[in-house]
Amino acid sequence: MPKVPFLPFSIFLGILGILCWGLTVYWSQHWLGSFAWDGSPKMFNWHPVFMVTGMLVLYGTAALVYRLPFSQMGSKLPWKVLHATLTLVAFVFVVLGLEAVFEFRNVKKTPNMYSLHSWLGLSAVLLFSCQWLMGFTSFLLPWTPIWFRALYKPIHVFFGSTILGLAIASCISGINEKLFFRSKNSTTPCPKLSAEAWFANILGMLILVFGVLVLLGLAISGWKRPDVNSQDIREPLLQEAK
Amino acid sequence: MPKVPFLPFSIFLGILGILCWGLTVYWSQHWLGSFAWDGSPKMFNWHPVFMVTGMLVLYGTAALVYRLPFSQMGSKLPWKVLHATLTLVAFVFVVLGLEAVFEFRNVKKTPNMYSLHSWLGLSAVLLFSCQWLMGFTSFLLPWTPIWFRALYKPIHVFFGSTILGLAIASCISGINEKLFFRSKNSTTPCPKLSAEAWFANILGMLILVFGVLVLLGLAISGWKRPDVNSQDIREPLLQEAK
């Protein structure tokens, strides 16, 4: 992979992540009708905001923690703890995002889990929870044998990228679905590129670019921690804390 | 990555690819109303079939050509030609798939390119065409300098996986969108899990599993050709043909 300077890349990615988050908040606030936590349609509007916050921005940030230049030297433990904390906070947002949509539908008495978006999204969340538990058990607790850590690490890395890919696909199918729902309730016979559709489609494409750039950041071999298969596997949390 | 036997993996993947293709044909034939090439709604039905054939099954097969055990020894040239041919055939299917949807909409006089699915899908196709041209120019023509081939190869590998990811997301958002279109034209006030929705959602999840398994096959380091950064870069088509 060609040499890419880390600092401008990460600044650009940071701005893009904030932009994705801000545009999602603006869409929910301006077009979908603002927020509430009362089972009304306004409760649904937390769903895109929490999902983009958790499964995209925080998850993407957590994935790139080990690529920070100052994380490359010394103990890996603080970065492991930061990675686990960021993904845990991301997971809390994801659970709140699910609660927002389930509670809204239960109050409205409409069925849950009928669309492919919901099947895909729930698969991503289930894989994410398994990934977090397996990561915590394998890399932060002392009683997991080293051979298992070495075996599991490439699986953790592979599913880390895969889950991000599923999250991007979930965001895109969710935005697409919401726009179709809204055009269904309008008087327009066929969905056209309204101002809102332009806005939400551009948001979807920015989410895609953000996700692909995170995957690119993970793929650049020069940014990987040199001791990728040795010290980090042998350094669980409780051992360090002794 | 743990050792996975290649043969059972590739047989399973082959069956899954045929299943994805067959279920897409069945959906289009049985539920969407069969096929025609006349600008009618039956012309649209070629769109999912050609896209799944080209951007998923053939593209995924082409990506894994270099993982075949008997491709690991001797000249890489026949495998390069096979890879380029399979992706070219895939590209022809993709162009026919685009033609099917554009012609259907033009005859029906409904707008094109309004949904996020269409933006994402067209981005995947544009990236795919750039990828093919760049791959052909870099690895099969003799006048591209070796330093450029070495520089471009990891980019080609990264975008190869990324384009497959975009294709999966396009398939999923497309199936989701088609089901919403169909529920919009029905008398049901809210889309429910009809037999067709169950069928198409399961198809979407199988497409996802197929794509993730192709990406897994690409990630398993033991299946990679050993001379990954040497001979293959130095062996363009016309040099070999002399």
Side-chain angles (χ1 to χ4, degrees), chain A residues 9 12-13 16 64 208-218, chain B residues 158:
Chain A
F9 178 91
F12 178 76
L13 196 63
L16 194 57
L64 287 171
L208 176 71
V209 173
F210 176 84
V212 170
L213 286 180
V214 171
L215 295 174
L216 178 68
L218 294 172
Chain B
F158 175 76

Side-chain angles (χ1 to χ4, degrees), chain B residues 79-110:
Chain B
W79 308 104
K80 280 183 171 189
V81 174
L82 181 61
H83 179 77
T85 308
L86 279 172
T87 43
L88 187 62
V89 176
F91 190 72
V92 171
F93 274 106
V94 165
V95 171
L96 289 173
L98 284 184
E99 171 66 12
V101 67
F102 281 131
E103 183 63 17
F104 156 67
R105 287 198 202 282
N106 290 343
V107 168
K108 206 183 161 195
K109 293 189 172 41
T110 51

Side-chain angles (χ1 to χ4, degrees), chain B residues 9-72:
Chain B
F9 178 91
S10 52
I11 290 171
F12 179 75
L13 197 62
I15 292 169
L16 194 57
I18 293 166
L19 194 65
C20 289
W21 180 83
L23 293 183
T24 309
V25 172
Y26 186 80
W27 184 34
S28 294
Q29 173 72 37
H30 180 73
W31 269 295
L32 305 184
S34 81
F35 305 99
W37 198 263
D38 55 1
S40 72
K42 290 183 178 184
M43 183 161 180
F44 171 87
N45 300 343
W46 286 113
H47 176 67
V49 171
F50 285 158
M51 288 311 194
V52 166
T53 309
M55 287 238 51
L56 192 83
V57 181
L58 284 174
Y59 187 100
T61 309
L64 287 172
V65 153
Y66 301 119
R67 301 301 187 273
L68 291 167
F70 38 89
S71 81
Q72 310 274 319

Side-chain angles (χ1 to χ4, degrees), chain B residues 7 43 77 90 96 107 112 137 174 214 225 235 237:
Chain B
L7 191 65
M43 183 161 180
L77 185 64
L96 289 173
V107 168
N112 278 303
T137 314
V214 171
R225 199 180 155 95
E235 196 183 54
L237 179 64

Side-chain angles (χ1 to χ4, degrees), chain B:
Chain B
M1 192 66 76
K3 281 190 181 171
V4 184
F6 183 81
L7 191 65
F9 178 91
S10 52
I11 290 171
F12 179 75
L13 197 62
I15 292 169
L16 194 57
I18 293 166
L19 194 65
C20 289
W21 180 83
L23 293 183
T24 309
V25 172
Y26 186 80
W27 184 34
S28 294
Q29 173 72 37
H30 180 73
W31 269 295
L32 305 184
S34 81
F35 305 99
W37 198 263
D38 55 1
S40 72
K42 290 183 178 184
M43 183 161 180
F44 171 87
N45 300 343
W46 286 113
H47 176 67
V49 171
F50 285 158
M51 288 311 194
V52 166
T53 309
M55 287 238 51
L56 192 83
V57 181
L58 284 174
Y59 187 100
T61 309
L64 287 172
V65 153
Y66 301 119
R67 301 301 187 273
L68 291 167
F70 38 89
S71 81
Q72 310 274 319
M73 290 153 295
S75 169
K76 198 177 181 181
L77 185 64
W79 308 104
K80 280 183 171 189
V81 174
L82 181 61
H83 179 77
T85 308
L86 279 172
T87 43
L88 187 62
V89 176
F91 190 72
V92 171
F93 274 106
V94 165
V95 171
L96 289 173
L98 284 184
E99 171 66 12
V101 67
F102 281 131
E103 183 63 17
F104 156 67
R105 287 198 202 282
N106 290 343
V107 168
K108 206 183 161 195
K109 293 189 172 41
T110 51
N112 278 303
M113 301 301 300
Y114 56 80
S115 75
L116 185 51
H117 160 70
S118 61
W119 289 29
L120 173 70
L122 201 67
S123 305
V125 173
L126 289 175
L127 279 174
F128 182 18
S129 57
C130 295
Q131 173 89 344
W132 196 90
L133 280 175
M134 283 295 291
F136 181 78
T137 314
S138 304
F139 302 123
L140 283 175
L141 296 182
W143 47 78
T144 312
I146 287 174
W147 67 263
F148 183 81
R149 282 182 202 135
L151 183 79
Y152 173 60
K153 188 165 181 193
I155 301 172
H156 188 79
V157 168
F158 175 76
F159 275 99
S161 298
T162 302
I163 292 165
L164 182 62
L166 298 193
I168 300 165
S170 302
C171 288
I172 284 170
S173 57
I175 292 170
N176 210 30
E177 180 175 314
K178 187 65 186 171
L179 288 173
F180 270 82
F181 255 131
R182 288 174 62 71
S183 77
K184 190 177 176 177
N185 297 331
S186 79
T187 50
T188 326
C190 178
K192 287 202 180 70
L193 269 174
S194 62
E196 181 185 354
W198 268 105
F199 183 91
N201 284 0
I202 289 169
L203 168 61
M205 295 306 284
L206 289 177
I207 285 173
L208 175 72
V209 173
F210 176 84
V212 170
L213 286 180
V214 171
L215 295 174
L216 179 67
L218 294 171
I220 292 174
S221 52
W223 293 355
K224 288 181 188 167
R225 199 180 155 95
D227 57 348
V228 70
N229 277 314
S230 54
Q231 189 204 353
D232 54 306
I233 289 169
R234 291 184 176 80
E235 196 183 54
L237 179 64
L238 298 186
Q239 226 167 46
E240 180 84 355
K242 274 175 193 167

